[in-house]
Amino acid sequence: MIAHPTWVEINLDQFRKNIRLIKNFITPTKYCLPIKSNAYGHGICEIAKAAQDEGVDYLAVASLSEGIKLRENQIHLPILVLGSFHQEQILDLVRYNLEFSISSAFKVNLVEEKLKNQPYKAFVHLKVDTGLRRVGARPETAESIYEKLISSPLIELKGIYSHLAHADNPNHSYSEYQFYLFKSFLEKIKAKNILFHISNSAGMVHLPLDFQQMVRPGLLSFGLSSYKLPVSLREIGSCFSLKSKVSYFKVVEEGQGIGYGHTYYTSKQTRIVTIPIGYGDGYRRALSNKGSVLIRGKKYPIVGTISMDQLTVDIGNGEAYVDDEVVLIGKQGDQEITLFEIAQLCDTIPYEILCGFNERVPRLYKSNLSNTNYNITELKHVSSHNI
Ligand SMILES: *Cc1c(COP(=O)(O)O)cnc(C)c1O
């Protein structure tokens, strides 16, 4: 049973395969999986559980709330909160055993103040800005923060990290420059027994791994990349599909306007089907009269303005029946609509499209492995009846 006729389908077997391929590629470097924003829309708890099973070393989230959710759902891996924190969050961060990022002496003082007379220690990563110019201390300032951190009895420094500015380009020379700055900084302070990490997906593929003790590939872990991958990573694939069902069918005469504002007029008598998905689910209104869907293995254009909960498709002389499965992102037969196509049509990046699917859209997890488990449980049930 699904409570909403539109759903995101996650192929967990493919996700686990991606994790294994990346793990093989980076070993002995550690694997930190960023799962902020509901694991890029894939569902934070299920993805965290699968990652934990596959032996990922670390998880990274953006906020305290995401960290708490994981801790309340039996995730025991180390979790790094990437964003900056506010003073009223410090106690919860340490209570929930969340590691967090520090990038100023001011924040070190706040942590020390809050943890005075508390039975907790804070586990932190020093964030160094090597060129993104968002949160992060410049290398010159980071040195004194580092000294402060390693001499604090209430704080344990677990890592030092930075983040790349040209995040989706594996060959950008600026990434090499940032890498060089980061490395020089670490060599200067002679840090030992802590994790150095700078690479996101693109950085992991391109920058030398021998120096990096941990990498943070997000998008690539979900099987998405727009650049050529090394041979050993070629079997990485997307595990995300967006699906719905035909909810209505009608024949419309020539010259009729379709949907709000009549942004589309039929050029001949045609068949219009309605699909119960709209911008209220996260399927972007910018795709009105631009996007397409797959029904019965054929690609058809979305026509008219996409509304909050529904959209309309012109199937011409094509065939479609109420309840037919509709693919809006993913494969059907030999046809495919990729997330990159959708992002391009919306003039944005795949990350933003993925994060847009909200809680109204249920996530369905498909796995041949767990289907087998399910059958085993059923068999047990039957045999106990027989006895
Ligand atoms: C999101 C994020 C990543 C992952 O980036 P991808 O491009 O998805 O690999 C890595 N590091 C930080 C700090 C991030 O915020």
Side-chain angles (χ1 to χ4, degrees):
M1 209 276 293
I2 45 164
H4 186 49
T6 290
W7 68 100
V8 160
E9 211 166 277
I10 305 295
N11 180 340
L12 268 186
D13 297 339
Q14 180 66 52
F15 174 70
R16 286 170 180 265
K17 186 173 176 181
N18 296 346
I19 298 288
R20 267 175 246 150
L21 289 166
I22 293 176
K23 214 168 132 76
N24 280 339
F25 181 77
I26 63 174
T27 300
T29 298
K30 284 182 192 284
Y31 193 156
C32 171
L33 178 67
I35 50 172
K36 58 213 189 197
S37 194
N38 201 22
Y40 294 45
H42 290 64
I44 193 167
C45 290
E46 291 291 335
I47 289 297
K49 278 181 194 142
Q52 187 164 265
D53 282 358
E54 291 298 333
V56 157
D57 302 289
Y58 254 80
L59 298 172
V61 295
S63 67
L64 169 63
S65 60
E66 291 174 332
I68 292 177
K69 188 162 183 190
L70 292 173
R71 286 291 180 243
E72 286 178 344
N73 282 279
Q74 285 76 51
I75 300 300
H76 314 294
L77 288 177
I79 298 172
L80 168 61
V81 180
L82 296 163
S84 62
F85 61 89
H86 297 272
Q87 54 175 322
E88 58 274 31
Q89 298 179 322
I90 295 170
L91 278 180
D92 277 334
L93 283 165
V94 294
R95 279 191 196 122
Y96 282 95
N97 190 20
L98 301 170
E99 300 178 15
F100 55 97
S101 311
I102 285 208
S103 34
S104 69
F106 170 72
K107 291 280 170 92
V108 182
N109 293 341
L110 280 182
V111 173
E112 290 194 311
E113 220 165 275
K114 284 278 175 195
L115 296 190
K116 223 170 11 191
N117 312 319
Q118 291 284 344
Y120 310 107
K121 213 172 164 176
F123 295 91
V124 307
H125 294 238
L126 171 59
K127 175 86 185 275
V128 183
D129 177 17
T130 53
L132 184 60
R133 305 198 178 90
R134 214 169 54 183
V135 171
R138 271 179 293 234
E140 313 87 82
T141 347
E143 201 171 333
S144 64
I145 304 171
Y146 168 74
E147 296 297 337
K148 215 166 149 65
L149 286 169
I150 55 168
S151 56
S152 168
L154 301 172
I155 301 177
E156 191 174 320
L157 182 64
K158 299 287 284 186
I160 299 182
Y161 78 104
S162 191
H163 192 36
L164 301 173
H166 293 273
D168 44 12
N169 185 344
N171 290 312
H172 207 288
S173 58
Y174 196 76
S175 300
E176 281 161 33
Y177 173 67
Q178 285 187 269
F179 184 72
Y180 162 79
L181 279 186
F182 186 59
K183 199 171 165 185
S184 313
F185 171 71
L186 293 167
E187 280 164 0
K188 190 162 173 219
I189 61 169
K190 299 193 175 62
K192 271 199 225 70
N193 301 324
I194 51 175
L195 296 164
F196 315 144
H197 45 115
I198 186 168
S199 285
N200 72 328
S201 301
M204 178 200 100
V205 172
H206 184 64
L207 296 173
L209 278 169
D210 51 359
F211 172 76
Q212 308 181 62
Q213 285 154 352
M214 189 155 82
V215 288
R216 307 183 307 265
L219 201 65
L220 190 61
S221 302
F222 297 106
L224 299 159
S225 65
S226 54
Y227 40 85
K228 203 168 160 75
L229 291 171
V231 177
S232 60
L233 295 177
R234 294 267 164 87
E235 281 184 38
I236 279 183
S238 170
C239 48
F240 183 101
S241 310
L242 177 65
K243 297 186 176 179
S244 189
K245 282 169 187 271
V246 171
S247 62
Y248 202 80
F249 172 99
K250 66 155 50 89
V251 175
V252 176
E253 295 306 319
E254 180 188 332
Q256 305 295 301
I258 306 282
Y260 288 129
H262 286 176
T263 59
Y264 177 83
Y265 283 88
T266 53
S267 57
K268 55 178 173 22
Q269 188 200 62
T270 191
R271 300 167 177 174
I272 300 288
V273 299
T274 303
I275 320 291
I277 178 171
Y279 62 80
D281 299 289
Y283 192 78
R284 303 276 292 266
R285 192 169 173 276
L287 293 162
S288 302
N289 296 307
K290 282 189 190 163
S292 46
V293 307
L294 305 176
I295 307 172
R296 295 190 170 233
K298 290 212 169 100
K299 200 176 269 192
Y300 297 113
I302 292 170
V303 296
T305 306
I306 292 170
S307 43
M308 190 184 289
D309 313 306
Q310 301 178 76
L311 58 80
T312 38
V313 173
D314 188 341
I315 62 165
N317 295 321
E319 208 178 292
Y321 295 89
V322 169
D323 272 350
D324 276 355
E325 187 170 283
V326 179
V327 170
L328 297 106
I329 298 174
K331 288 181 184 152
Q332 193 185 60
D334 55 8
Q335 295 282 330
E336 181 173 11
I337 298 172
T338 68
L339 186 65
F340 285 92
E341 280 170 63
I342 297 282
Q344 206 157 34
L345 289 173
C346 295
D347 201 13
T348 185
I349 51 175
Y351 304 79
E352 194 189 13
I353 301 291
L354 284 175
C355 296
F357 299 109
N358 55 34
E359 65 279 7
R360 186 163 83 178
V361 186
R363 269 64 172 174
L364 255 63
Y365 296 90
K366 290 265 163 125
S367 162
N368 288 328
L369 248 83
S370 61
N371 283 347
T372 318
N373 287 342
Y374 180 65
N375 287 340
I376 289 167
T377 348
E378 277 203 328
L379 281 176
K380 269 192 199 145
H381 183 70
V382 171
S383 60
S384 66
H385 260 277
N386 289 346
I387 296 161

